[in-house]
Amino acid sequence: MASIVDIAVSAGSFATLVTAVKAANLVDTLGTGGPFTVFAPNDAAFAKLPPGTITTLVQNIPQLTRILCYHVAAGVYRQADLQSRPRLASLEGSDLYLNFPEDLATGFEVNNATVVAADIEADNGIIHVLDTVVLPRPHWFDGIVANS
Amino acid sequence: MLLSAVLWGPWLAALILALLPVPDARTAMAPASSLKPSETRSRLKGVAIALASGLLGLQVWLWQAVDIGAGGFQLAEFQTWLPGLGLNYSLAVDGLALPLLGLNALLTWIVVLSSDRTQVRPKLFYVLVFLIHGGIAGALLSQNLLLFLLFYELELIPVYLAIAVFGGPNRDLAAMKFLVYTAISGLILLGALVALGWVAGGAMPEFEFGAIQSAQIPLNLQLALAIALLIGFGIKTPLVPLHAWLPDTYVEASAPIAILLGGILAKLGSYGLFRFILQLLPEAWQVLSPYLAIWGAVCVLYGAIAAIAQKDIKRMVAYSSIGHMGYILLAGAAATPLAVTGGIVQMASHGLILAVLFDLVGIIEKKVGTRDLDVLNGLFNPVRGLPAIAAFLVVGGMASAGLPGLVGFVAEYLIFQGSISVFPIPTLVCIFGTGLTAVYFVILMNRTCFGKLDNFTSYYPQVTPNERVPAFLLTLLVVFFGLAPGNLTRWSEATAVQLVRPAPTATVSALVPMHIEVKR
Amino acid sequence: MTAIAPILSPSTHPLADVVHRLEAGGSMLPDTPENLMQIIGLYKAYAVPMDFYWRDLLYIGERVFLEPLPFFKYFLPQEYLDLANHYAGDTADLRVWRGRATAHPELLAFMEKGELKTKLPKLFHHLWHDRINMEFAEECMRAMLWHRNMGGQLDPYLDSEEYRQNADRAIRAYFRGNPLLLGLYQLFPELFLEQCRQATLYSCLGLFWEVMAPVFFEMSDIYDEGGFRGVPDAMNFLVNGIFAIAGRPIYHRVYIGSECYELVPKSKGFTWLYEAAFPYVEAVFYRTAPFRGTKSYNAQAGQIPAHQEDFHYGVLYADTFPVGSAGIPPTLLSQDMLHFLPPYMLEYYRQHCRGEDDMLVQLTVSFQRSMYNVTSAVIQAGRAAFLYPLDDPNPRHRQQNRAYFEGQLRRFARTDYDIDQACRINYVQKQSYR
């Protein structure tokens, strides 16, 4: 089997993510460290971001690292493991919010992203592919949405 | 000659304005004229201001000519007119009429000055204002009872027209009410004064003031005449319960007409009380005076309590004026020189204060579009409110409530000081009434001036200098006479002493301490 | 903008109309040409003083720092006037504004002659208050300092041991050779630490506004070129700007002598969006300090919140009509903006209400509208970042979007403390509010 980074490179649909990981000097960490659960946004997910977003992040590595770390959790969590957890702590510090809606036949949701491919096994962890880049939710978010 | 000029000046002014080759615009829109309407208006107003200023100047001349130290009638003019009827052209002035004459000219000037380009039918308006001025001047100057009656009745016509043409939505009814009430007042006065002339004259009726004054009239006749005159002048003043015409008339009349009505016209009533009952029928007055003092106190309380209950600021001011007339009645009843001086000063000061208040209420109504206490708010707002107007309103209100340093205090203090030894209880009641006055003026000021403007509704037009200047001048006078009251009181002191002289038989020695009391 | 087919039943929120407008991609402010003109005109008028604010905030945070008697903290040295904005000019990291990176020419012209239109020594202009009112900017900074716990990682970092040590080094370096203040520091270390935190927030707000100034300048230029078709366009420009700049670092450096001390290093990964923008909106727009005049309140009637969290005195709640002598909130900012109004706004104000006499009030109302639009942009950006596209076909996603919009608007519909009456969202729906 291959490492998380190798899988991402070979899949071909994670060009932006791989570039970002390289820029953030996370290749070694994700290549040999771990084990990790990586929620990997595909190129289509990055394309949804307004222009300039990536430019600014690539110019500022600590900030880029932080956003990338939000997509990574320590440990291996397959879809079946996650089913019982509404939240998962990311390496960034904030939680990822998990949701298994009934109207979704396959996969589940992480924040506002849908997992388009789950449980891709790697040497040092597991990859779930996201269709949207997820961003840490500010502290007021829960209160705003829950009130309704 | 001077008094004739004062009397006929306004009539002449009205005639000049009427004949001025300027069309009278029925509305604010352009009439068929080569001149633009605004030019027409400003030309008309210019002429009116010039004439009113001339009349005011005439007053200065008159006040210069009067001898302050002498109490009685001065500058008399006499011309027989219809001797068969006893009607003579007989004019004179004393310390009772003089302040009112000045007030008359001043208020006319203020009204003309504050008129603006939105005035409907400006020419008719100015003509009526000068006719009212002329009528009042005639009544104040007349030394002949019939001549007085003539002017007293004559002045009703322009006032009626002014209310009916320029008033608020219910002006027709109000004008009619005013006309009916004052016509009844006129009829009663006609009967009473003619009877007085017959009683005083013996074989030939005698209508000359001086002659009647020296005539001996039996007390029971005096009492009958005094009561009739009290009712007649009581309607005009007005005294409770003869006041029913006042709230509607004051409220429906446009602001300038209300100023003239409340400021000077109604003063003919209190003038009549002093001139024709106190002065001509002193014994009857003495008998009636305890009841009059109580009546005065009742008026004060009624006016104040009714004003507290009002939701309409103009109506509130109107009711306040009933209360203030009560002080004058109390002053007359007490009949000490000090109280009578205070009563005369109260006539002038109330005229000034009421003019300030009606002027300001008129401006507020024009800008804000309401007189409702529950709607008005926050006019002190420096940017979006009417801060200058609100400030003047506070001064006017404080003056009306009798706060020291303002003209209202001078009058009320003199009255209370003069009457407390004679009628302590009614005086104390009136002093309590002064406190109630403060109650409704605090309500008025608090609701209108303080608080916050509503962001949604408060888009009032700006107050123009044209509106601000007259209000400022009046407020200035209120403060000036409050700080330097001698300028107001000294004209009437000598006359007040003469007015209260119990009878021609009184000894001179009895007068001296009284005189000193006045000078104190 | 293509119409989005509604797939949910109508909202029952008290501000349902606004909810529906937000769901259709609109702003809290109705889309009218008059509103567009007002908000853009005010962005322009705001951006010029803001160009001064951010430079001076950075200057105070980085150079004045702990100066015990900072008399000249508003006297910006040339170095900071020439400081290149990271988002304007040829040297920009990301060129938001096509104009120049150094101080705006209108600002320089005003600083030279002021309202008096006379060249006087700087001190006279300062004392006559004929200058940019930095007091307003500092008030915003203090609101952020005072309303701690408004989110982001900077706030907890300020209380961390790491920050204390960074601050300690900077304090000792700053007062080197000053035994009096060093002694005081030994006696009252927390006092000096708190001053450091304040300096950090100076820097934080300066870095935040460094972005907003070129954004607003660019919006004004686009409007002048006829680029915006309506209020939503202007809002979406802001939304895109928020995303583009989101990752810009927030940090605090102090320059003492020739050395640079990092109180908050860039390597902490603090971002513009999370550590500056969101806390700024929460603290300044929604809460601020209860300075007089923003809202008429009655403590006896329970209109004063018991919890700081529930404060509601920001520009979104400001009563723009002055009360007594309390001034027009935010008075000093209004005064600053008055100097830089574009000609079309001057003409517009002259035509309404009392013209020249109440221009400050009219201007503040326009500013309020423009800030409702900025808040809308923040709400829409939050929706885009954390939720779903407006035209998402999934009803569950649309329902979550709605819950988010309704939740945001519930802040204005709260009845406790009369917040629903204090907020001006209902006012700005109508053009008659001026």
Side-chain angles (χ1 to χ4, degrees):
Chain A
M1 278 212 291
S3 74
I4 293 172
V5 176
D6 295 339
I7 290 175
V9 171
S10 60
S13 57
F14 298 102
T16 317
L17 181 66
V18 170
T19 315
V21 167
K22 283 179 180 165
N25 299 317
L26 291 171
V27 175
D28 285 353
T29 316
L30 289 176
T32 57
F36 296 117
T37 299
V38 174
F39 297 92
N42 58 24
D43 286 345
F46 280 103
K48 285 192 211 165
L49 290 172
T53 313
I54 299 299
T55 318
T56 303
L57 283 171
V58 170
Q59 286 165 357
N60 301 289
I61 299 308
Q63 284 67 26
L64 174 65
T65 309
R66 181 174 162 196
I67 299 302
L68 290 176
C69 284
Y70 186 61
H71 292 78
V72 182
V76 175
Y77 296 97
R78 292 184 181 77
Q79 182 171 357
D81 305 326
L82 293 169
Q83 209 111 29
S84 58
R85 306 177 68 108
R87 292 182 180 202
L88 185 63
S90 74
L91 290 186
E92 191 262 351
S94 318
D95 282 350
L96 291 156
Y97 290 69
L98 307 172
N99 187 24
F100 293 80
E102 286 169 10
D103 62 2
L104 223 57
T106 57
F108 56 101
E109 289 180 345
V110 180
N111 283 14
N112 54 336
T114 304
V115 176
V116 291
D119 297 347
I120 300 170
E121 300 278 349
D123 273 348
N124 59 338
I126 198 150
I127 302 173
H128 306 292
V129 180
L130 301 186
D131 70 342
T132 305
V133 177
V134 290
L135 296 165
R137 290 173 169 178
H139 76 304
W140 43 258
F141 187 85
D142 284 348
I144 290 289
V145 179
N147 239 332
S148 131
Chain B
M1 252 344 270
L2 186 49
L3 295 189
S4 287
V6 171
L7 170 57
W8 297 113
W11 297 91
L12 187 67
L15 190 69
I16 291 170
L17 278 166
L19 295 179
L20 212 62
V22 170
D24 190 15
R26 277 186 175 276
T27 64
M29 294 303 292
S33 161
S34 59
L35 282 170
K36 284 183 185 155
S38 59
E39 287 174 28
T40 314
R41 280 163 192 284
S42 56
R43 177 186 290 186
L44 206 56
K45 184 176 173 182
V47 173
I49 289 179
L51 292 168
S53 304
L55 294 177
L56 204 56
L58 213 54
Q59 287 294 320
V60 177
W61 190 7
L62 171 66
W63 288 50
Q64 294 268 317
V66 166
D67 178 6
I68 302 176
F73 292 105
Q74 301 181 31
L75 306 171
E77 292 177 26
F78 187 85
Q79 190 71 49
T80 48
W81 186 0
L82 294 170
L85 274 176
L87 175 60
N88 296 316
Y89 179 75
S90 164
L91 307 178
V93 67
D94 69 349
L96 173 58
L98 193 63
L100 295 178
L101 282 168
L103 185 67
N104 187 22
L106 176 72
L107 294 187
T108 303
W109 186 73
I110 290 284
V111 160
V112 171
L113 192 66
S114 62
S115 65
D116 68 2
R117 53 188 64 239
T118 60
Q119 178 65 54
V120 182
R121 307 192 66 176
K123 193 168 170 179
L124 177 66
F125 174 78
Y126 293 130
V127 169
L128 290 177
V129 166
F130 282 105
L131 288 179
I132 295 170
H133 181 136
I136 295 168
L140 291 171
L141 289 170
S142 295
Q143 288 301 300
N144 182 292
L145 300 192
L146 292 182
L147 193 64
F148 170 81
L149 275 171
L150 187 67
F151 283 114
Y152 186 89
E153 298 288 346
L154 209 56
E155 139 272 309
L156 286 186
I157 299 161
V159 174
Y160 169 78
L161 286 174
I163 299 168
V165 175
F166 302 109
N170 296 321
R171 55 182 184 262
D172 292 342
L173 197 66
M176 191 51 74
K177 209 165 173 180
F178 169 79
L179 191 67
V180 169
Y181 266 89
T182 31
I184 291 172
S185 152
L187 278 177
I188 296 172
L189 291 182
L190 179 66
L193 290 178
V194 168
L196 179 60
W198 279 97
V199 170
M204 268 295 285
E206 178 59 65
F207 295 112
E208 277 305 304
F209 195 88
I212 298 172
Q213 210 178 356
S214 51
Q216 295 288 337
I217 306 168
L219 183 60
N220 55 350
L221 268 176
Q222 273 202 27
L223 276 173
L225 288 170
I227 287 168
L229 288 174
L230 262 175
I231 293 169
F233 287 120
I235 291 172
K236 189 85 174 180
T237 307
L239 299 173
V240 181
L242 307 170
H243 66 281
W245 62 272
L246 177 139
D248 285 338
T249 311
Y250 280 15
V251 168
E252 289 305 324
S254 65
I257 301 304
I259 291 173
L260 293 180
L261 258 175
I264 183 68
L265 190 71
K267 300 293 173 294
L268 284 184
S270 52
Y271 168 82
L273 293 176
F274 278 34
R275 174 70 83 222
F276 297 102
I277 316 180
L278 175 62
Q279 203 171 4
L280 288 187
L281 308 167
E283 286 92 355
W285 183 266
Q286 209 161 4
V287 172
L288 289 173
S289 63
Y291 308 104
L292 296 181
I294 293 167
W295 194 3
V298 167
C299 288
V300 168
L301 285 187
Y302 176 87
I305 291 168
I308 290 173
Q310 299 309 312
K311 289 280 174 207
D312 175 336
I313 53 173
K314 201 171 182 183
R315 206 165 264 272
M316 194 180 246
V317 172
Y319 274 105
S320 85
S321 124
I322 296 180
H324 285 86
M325 290 302 111
Y327 300 132
I328 299 179
L329 190 57
L330 174 72
T336 62
L338 203 58
V340 170
T341 307
I344 298 170
V345 171
Q346 172 74 348
M347 291 184 210
S349 100
H350 178 257
L352 276 178
I353 295 168
L354 199 72
V356 176
L357 293 175
F358 272 143
D359 187 30
L360 296 173
V361 166
I363 293 172
I364 290 172
E365 186 184 6
K366 190 155 81 178
K367 302 294 169 188
V368 183
T370 181
R371 302 186 308 249
D372 191 340
L373 264 188
D374 292 338
V375 178
L376 287 164
N377 205 357
L379 293 187
F380 257 132
N381 188 305
V383 185
R384 285 281 169 88
L386 317 171
I389 297 308
F392 296 149
L393 188 65
V394 168
V395 177
M398 291 198 303
S400 190
L403 261 75
L406 300 167
V407 70
F409 173 77
V410 176
E412 287 176 22
Y413 185 74
L414 285 174
I415 292 172
F416 298 149
Q417 184 79 342
S419 67
I420 189 124
S421 55
V422 189
F423 299 116
I425 301 291
T427 304
L428 284 173
V429 170
C430 286
I431 292 173
F432 176 68
T434 318
L436 291 181
T437 314
V439 170
Y440 60 76
F441 273 112
V442 166
I443 293 174
L444 185 141
M445 284 175 226
N446 188 28
R447 298 266 185 87
T448 25
C449 302
F450 293 89
K452 281 171 64 66
L453 282 181
D454 184 340
N455 280 192
F456 253 144
T457 53
S458 306
Y459 297 94
Y460 312 138
Q462 208 149 9
V463 178
T464 60
N466 187 30
E467 292 157 336
R468 208 178 287 138
V469 167
F472 172 71
L473 291 176
L474 283 173
T475 314
L476 201 67
L477 284 176
V478 164
V479 176
F480 172 74
F481 287 127
L483 293 175
N487 291 309
L488 195 57
T489 54
R490 64 195 174 113
W491 306 97
S492 313
E493 280 166 359
T495 301
V497 173
Q498 290 211 334
L499 271 176
V500 300
R501 187 176 296 161
T505 50
T507 54
V508 176
S509 61
L511 277 172
V512 175
M514 279 176 158
H515 192 71
I516 288 167
E517 195 182 6
V518 172
K519 287 293 180 192
R520 191 173 53 191
Chain C
M1 186 169 52
T2 52
I4 298 162
I7 55 178
L8 302 175
S9 53
S11 168
T12 55
H13 193 275
L15 295 164
D17 287 349
V18 184
V19 172
H20 296 148
R21 200 187 305 136
L22 287 170
E23 284 181 342
S27 160
M28 288 192 277
L29 202 61
D31 180 14
T32 65
E34 209 171 332
N35 272 338
L36 180 66
M37 177 185 77
Q38 288 187 69
I39 61 175
I40 301 287
L42 264 289
Y43 289 155
K44 153 68 177 42
Y46 191 19
V48 182
M50 192 183 273
D51 197 31
F52 183 90
Y53 296 158
W54 78 263
R55 290 168 194 279
D56 201 24
L57 286 166
L58 283 186
Y59 170 65
I60 297 171
E62 295 175 353
R63 308 277 171 167
V64 179
F65 191 44
L66 297 180
E67 173 64 53
L69 302 169
F71 292 127
F72 299 105
K73 61 179 173 178
Y74 303 153
F75 289 66
L76 202 50
Q78 192 60 39
E79 187 191 345
Y80 273 80
L81 286 172
D82 293 339
L83 202 62
N85 189 307
H86 287 84
Y87 301 96
D90 298 326
T91 56
D93 293 349
L94 181 76
R95 193 161 190 179
V96 174
W97 185 37
R98 291 161 283 173
R100 63 193 208 175
T102 54
H104 194 271
E106 281 185 45
L107 173 66
L108 294 174
F110 176 77
M111 285 173 67
E112 191 174 322
K113 294 195 167 174
E115 207 173 70
L116 300 170
K117 304 270 181 240
T118 324
K119 201 168 160 53
L120 292 172
K122 218 173 182 178
L123 187 66
F124 292 162
H125 279 297
H126 176 85
L127 293 173
W128 190 246
H129 245 277
D130 186 12
R131 55 176 163 96
I132 302 288
N133 293 300
M134 269 307 288
E135 289 88 341
F136 165 77
E138 291 187 312
E139 191 60 33
C140 291
M141 178 278 299
R142 271 190 214 102
M144 293 176 76
L145 178 68
W146 196 49
H147 289 284
R148 298 287 301 267
N149 197 24
M150 288 288 120
Q153 297 180 351
L154 176 62
D155 187 66
Y157 181 73
L158 292 178
D159 294 324
S160 69
E161 188 53 36
E162 187 182 344
Y163 183 81
R164 295 178 83 95
Q165 283 172 10
N166 292 345
D168 179 69
R169 274 187 289 116
I171 293 167
R172 288 181 190 286
Y174 192 79
F175 292 131
R176 189 175 297 140
N178 187 338
L180 176 67
L181 282 161
L182 277 177
L184 280 174
Y185 175 51
Q186 291 299 326
L187 282 170
F188 309 108
E190 288 299 321
L191 173 82
F192 287 81
L193 198 63
E194 190 67 8
Q195 291 299 311
C196 281
R197 293 189 184 114
Q198 177 168 310
T200 299
L201 282 170
Y202 267 108
S203 178
C204 174
L205 185 58
L207 293 170
F208 172 68
W209 274 342
E210 179 186 357
V211 174
M212 295 318 290
V215 168
F216 288 152
F217 281 133
E218 182 64 19
M219 289 179 81
S220 172
D221 285 357
I222 293 175
Y223 178 76
D224 291 347
E225 292 158 6
F228 289 129
R229 283 162 305 163
V231 174
D233 280 5
M235 185 190 69
N236 287 330
F237 185 90
L238 283 167
V239 172
N240 287 333
I242 289 170
F243 267 94
I245 310 298
R248 153 329 106 112
I250 295 295
Y251 52 90
H252 180 205
R253 292 169 175 163
V254 181
Y255 297 94
I256 302 165
S258 57
E259 282 191 69
C260 168
Y261 292 81
E262 295 213 326
L263 268 74
V264 180
K266 277 189 182 177
S267 62
K268 293 308 294 178
F270 295 155
T271 61
W272 182 88
L273 182 67
Y274 288 102
E275 275 69 42
F278 280 148
Y280 175 84
V281 170
E282 290 297 310
V284 177
F285 279 10
Y286 284 116
R287 293 183 177 84
T288 321
F291 53 88
R292 285 208 287 168
T294 46
K295 183 199 163 202
S296 173
Y297 46 72
N298 179 347
Q300 282 86 350
Q303 291 173 352
I304 302 291
H307 305 290
Q308 196 177 327
E309 172 79 9
D310 292 331
F311 272 32
H312 50 281
Y313 302 100
V315 68
L316 304 181
Y317 304 89
D319 180 343
T320 50
F321 292 6
V323 177
S325 56
I328 310 156
T331 319
L332 291 173
L333 173 61
S334 301
Q335 188 65 35
D336 281 348
M337 293 193 290
L338 185 66
H339 300 136
F340 305 109
L341 283 174
Y344 56 86
M345 288 314 293
L346 286 170
E347 191 48 43
Y348 175 73
Y349 293 144
R350 283 196 191 103
Q351 285 167 5
H352 289 100
C353 296
R354 295 185 180 179
E356 298 278 352
D357 285 356
D358 65 351
M359 210 176 259
L360 274 178
V361 176
Q362 296 191 52
L363 176 159
T364 312
V365 171
S366 297
F367 180 67
Q368 209 162 35
R369 289 177 188 276
S370 71
M371 289 302 116
Y372 266 101
N373 194 50
V374 172
T375 312
S376 304
V378 173
I379 290 174
Q380 290 284 13
R383 191 267 312 150
F386 313 123
L387 289 163
Y388 302 97
L390 295 166
D391 56 357
D392 196 304
N394 186 332
R396 191 170 46 79
H397 291 173
R398 292 280 276 271
Q399 188 57 49
Q400 284 186 9
N401 277 355
R402 169 167 292 179
Y404 170 77
F405 286 137
E406 289 186 344
Q408 289 282 13
L409 291 176
R410 190 163 299 109
R411 292 166 170 235
F412 299 119
R414 283 173 61 176
T415 50
D416 46 341
Y417 310 121
D418 290 339
I419 291 177
D420 56 337
Q421 287 161 45
C423 83
R424 302 286 139 171
I425 189 164
N426 286 315
Y427 290 72
V428 298
Q429 301 304 316
K430 294 183 181 152
Q431 211 61 62
S432 57
Y433 174 49
R434 299 184 183 286

